[in-house]
Amino acid sequence: MTQGAYASVNGIDLYYEVLGADRPGPPLIMLHGGAYTFRLSFDSLLPALTAERKVIGVELQGHGHTADSDRPFSIRQCAEDVIALLDHLGVERADLFGYSLGGLVSTEVAVSAPHSVGRVVLAASHVRSTRSEAYYPEITELKLDSPRMPTEEDSAAMKRAYDEVAPKPEDFFPFVVKLQPAVHDFEGWTDEQLARLTMPVLIIIGDTDFVRLEHAVEMKQLLPDARLAILPGTKHLQVIRPDLVLPMVTEFLRQ
């Protein structure tokens, strides 16, 4: 079963899809990567995940079906939108699976509303300053020849997925310009904030990710109940790979 709908939250119409088995227990909220859609981020995982539980896929401000607005774009604002969506749907507690930008938003949701969060999967995400601590320098300096950077094919897939569902396809490039500083200038969370995230967390990054390997280890140490997986031969935009990610995520969420 798939059901797409909009929720009016915080001045925008936020798109979400409800998929999968309507079973007892918390739903899984899935939050996509920056400039991605829900489906482009997670389609390869959905058949297996939705066979076991209810999945709610969200498209954040300016992404996919959710139009941009004059409202500023920030990690905190996106998290407030997700929390408002949970209230709108009457969801008291949910697990979170966030990829890249979605991982940042998931972390902010957990910081802001820990009572509403069960288990958390953070894929290709970080918790410190993007520019100075979390990312490799060639990412924030936009060195396009870096093997870590998106390929032309990757960029074309993002634009194609956006064009297929966006209310205004012409907004893609202006929104990417708006999005980048929200991520690249992001300062992260304090040790004290992270120490309060006592829920189980699964951290997944690629060995050729935007995120520095040392930072992933730091995340593991800062979060009280975290485990870390580093995927071999995997770039940032390849992290959601079903052969490796699906077994570990499924096991983690079942626990």
Side-chain angles (χ1 to χ4, degrees), residues 18 33 35 62 70 85 90 99 103 113 151-152 157 163 204 214 217 219 223 227-228 230 245:
V18 179
D70 294 337
L85 176 64
Y99 165 51
T151 64
E152 290 185 11
D163 288 348
I204 306 172
E214 300 93 326
V217 173
M219 289 175 67
L223 294 165
R227 55 231 70 187
L228 170 64
I230 300 175
V245 167

Side-chain angles (χ1 to χ4, degrees), residues 215-236:
H215 179 67
V217 173
E218 183 186 15
M219 289 175 67
K220 167 84 168 63
Q221 295 168 336
L222 288 168
L223 294 165
D225 187 8
R227 55 231 70 187
L228 170 64
I230 300 175
L231 308 185
T234 304
K235 296 169 60 175
H236 186 82

Side-chain angles (χ1 to χ4, degrees), residues 37 62-64 157-166 168-169 171-172:
T37 64
H63 289 83
M158 293 182 208
K159 180 66 166 64
R160 187 165 55 248
Y162 185 86
D163 288 348
E164 288 174 356
V165 300
K168 296 181 180 179
D171 284 353
F172 179 77

Side-chain angles (χ1 to χ4, degrees), residues 80-221:
E80 290 176 358
D81 294 342
V82 172
I83 294 168
L85 176 64
L86 296 180
D87 290 341
H88 173 81
L89 296 175
V91 174
E92 295 182 1
R93 188 175 179 85
D95 294 337
L96 301 175
F97 186 162
Y99 165 51
S100 191
L101 168 67
L104 298 178
V105 176
S106 295
T107 304
E108 181 62 26
V109 171
V111 168
S112 300
H115 57 282
S116 299
V117 177
R119 292 177 170 266
V120 181
V121 180
L122 301 176
S125 190
H126 60 279
V127 298
R128 294 299 204 200
S129 166
T130 305
R131 289 190 181 276
S132 63
E133 297 174 83
Y135 275 11
Y136 288 98
E138 64 260 37
I139 304 303
T140 54
E141 294 168 7
L142 297 178
K143 293 185 177 179
L144 300 181
D145 58 346
S146 168
R148 303 178 190 279
M149 291 293 284
T151 64
E152 290 185 11
E153 183 179 348
D154 293 329
S155 300
M158 293 182 208
K159 180 66 166 64
R160 187 165 55 248
Y162 185 86
D163 288 348
E164 288 174 356
V165 300
K168 296 181 180 179
E170 65 273 15
D171 284 353
F172 179 77
F173 290 110
F175 180 73
V176 169
V177 172
K178 182 177 180 178
L179 169 67
Q180 284 182 337
V183 176
H184 286 184
D185 296 336
F186 186 64
E187 289 299 323
W189 297 273
T190 66
D191 288 3
E192 291 76 18
Q193 287 175 309
L194 296 171
R196 290 197 291 269
L197 300 185
T198 57
M199 68 285 291
V201 179
L202 173 60
I203 303 160
I204 306 172
I205 71 160
D207 64 355
T208 315
D209 210 307
F210 294 175
V211 180
R212 294 167 55 243
L213 295 178
E214 300 93 326
H215 179 67
V217 173
E218 183 186 15
M219 289 175 67
K220 167 84 168 63
Q221 295 168 336

